[in-house]
Structures are given as structure tokens and as C-alpha cells.
Amino acid sequence: ENIERFIDKMVVSTRSFSGKTKTRGEPLLTFSQCVFLISCVNILGKLADVLILILGQMPTVLLLLNANDVNLTIASAANMPFYSFILIGVVRRVIEDCLYFFSGRWYGKDIVAYLTKENRRSKWLKVSKAKMRESERLMRQYGVAILLVLPGALTCFAYGMAKRGSRRRTFLFLDSLGAALRVVLFRVAGKGAKKAP
């Protein structure tokens, strides 16, 4: 909490669709817009997964579509230039993480309520309110450490949901740092994978 207060002191006002002035933390996007953007990012990611054999020869395109751990390792082993690798990897991960963070911050309770309702009708969806409460509790206590060590979609969604009062710059700083550490880690892993017989 002290780290978060130290990193950020920003308050932004926006206008809502009703015309009333809203302060920091109020939705800038509708629920449907958040779902649409997350769907687009996930479709691009799945496209990269399906075309991984072709895109492995084009590491820049591979990372632009999806900078997951596997693709980072492949791009590193393909000798992608260091600065391009770091820049594209971090920016791509942070953009996706921001979508999940703000979706969790603005609509987290609604999304969890929908998923737990669907859980009763679906055999493949396993979401319980107890698990979500436990995740939220862990994020409140250890969110900064978890975000640094395991940045990613679900972590950012849970962080946004649990830390609704946290500042945007705090999240952006922590997530960028966590993403940079992860990208550098997989740069080293990719180089090591290429040297292995």
C-alpha cells in the first residue's frame, strides 16, 4: 500500500455517458467495449498460436500478435534484435494487461457474478465465489509481489478487482516492471534453448 501511494498521486476526471462528471476509477469504456477489446487481443493471440510454425520465422510479427512465454522463447532463439525484442515484448504484454486490469477494476464483480451463474449450467467452467474471494484477499495482501512475479491477464484482472482504489500509474509501473523482468528472463531462456544440443 505504501509503495502504491508513493508511485502515484494522479486524479483524472472524465465525463460519463450520462453527462455527469466522474472521478478516477470510473469506467472509460462500457462493459461491451471491454469484452470486445479483450476478445480481439485473444483472437490475435490464438492466431499466433495456430500459425506458430510459420510465424517462428517472423519473430517480430509473432510477438506483436502474442508475447506469451512460448513466443518470447521462440523469438529469442530466432535471434531477434535485443532492443526490439524487449520493447515489443514489454509493450505487447502491458497493453493486454491493462485491458484486463481495467476490466477487473470497472466490471470485476459483474463478470464474476456472470461466470458463477454460468458455472451452474456449464461443465467446463469452474468458477466459485469462494475461490474468487480468496483470490481477492491474496491480491489485497500480496498484490504488488504477485504482479511483479506473475504479470499476466488473470493476475491483472484480479489485481484490478481487489485494488479498485489503486492508482493507474501504480499499476502501470508495477506491471511494466514485472513484464520487463519476465521478457528478459525469456530472452535468456531462449538463448539457452538455442545453445542446447
Side-chain angles (χ1 to χ4, degrees):
E1 300 260 341
N2 291 335
I3 294 171
E4 291 175 358
R5 280 190 224 119
F6 174 75
I7 295 170
D8 188 30
K9 293 178 183 173
M10 180 176 80
V11 175
V12 175
S13 291
T14 60
R15 293 186 66 80
S16 71
F17 296 107
S18 64
K20 297 178 183 175
T21 301
K22 294 191 173 185
T23 56
R24 181 190 73 234
E26 294 297 323
L28 297 175
L29 299 172
T30 65
F31 179 76
S32 298
Q33 289 169 330
C34 286
V35 170
F36 174 76
L37 289 172
I38 287 173
S39 298
C40 289
V41 166
N42 283 309
I43 289 168
L44 289 175
K46 293 305 173 198
L47 183 64
D49 293 345
V50 168
L51 300 174
I52 198 163
L53 292 176
I54 297 166
L55 295 175
Q57 304 303 314
M58 298 178 279
T60 303
V61 176
L62 183 66
L63 287 189
L64 286 170
L65 291 174
N66 190 359
N68 65 16
D69 298 346
V70 172
N71 294 349
L72 287 169
T73 306
I74 291 169
S76 179
N79 285 329
M80 186 173 173
F82 179 78
Y83 292 113
S84 299
F85 178 86
I86 299 296
L87 180 67
I88 293 170
V90 171
V91 170
R92 174 59 175 82
R93 288 183 80 113
V94 170
I95 288 171
E96 183 173 353
D97 290 350
C98 284
L99 287 172
Y100 280 96
F101 169 75
F102 285 110
S103 295
R105 182 176 178 158
W106 296 331
Y107 303 109
K109 297 285 184 193
D110 296 334
I111 292 170
V112 170
Y114 173 77
L115 291 176
T116 52
K117 181 178 156 187
E118 285 297 308
N119 192 31
R120 292 191 292 270
R121 289 186 272 187
S122 174
K123 293 179 182 176
W124 61 269
L125 190 59
K126 302 293 181 204
V127 177
S128 72
K129 286 183 181 178
K131 285 182 182 175
M132 288 308 297
R133 277 194 295 272
E134 179 65 15
S135 298
E136 217 172 328
R137 185 188 67 76
L138 286 171
M139 275 299 171
R140 281 196 186 100
Q141 287 182 320
Y142 310 108
V144 171
I146 293 171
L147 196 57
L148 285 173
V149 175
L150 294 170
L154 296 178
T155 302
C156 293
F157 179 83
Y159 186 84
M161 196 170 145
K163 302 268 192 174
R164 270 189 215 91
S166 68
R167 316 256 188 214
R168 286 176 280 228
R169 277 194 278 183
T170 303
F171 166 77
L172 194 58
F173 174 78
L174 293 170
D175 187 57
S176 298
L177 185 58
L181 291 171
R182 198 157 186 92
V183 168
V184 168
L185 172 73
F186 282 94
R187 175 68 177 197
V188 173
K191 291 296 182 187
K194 186 174 182 180
K195 290 177 185 173

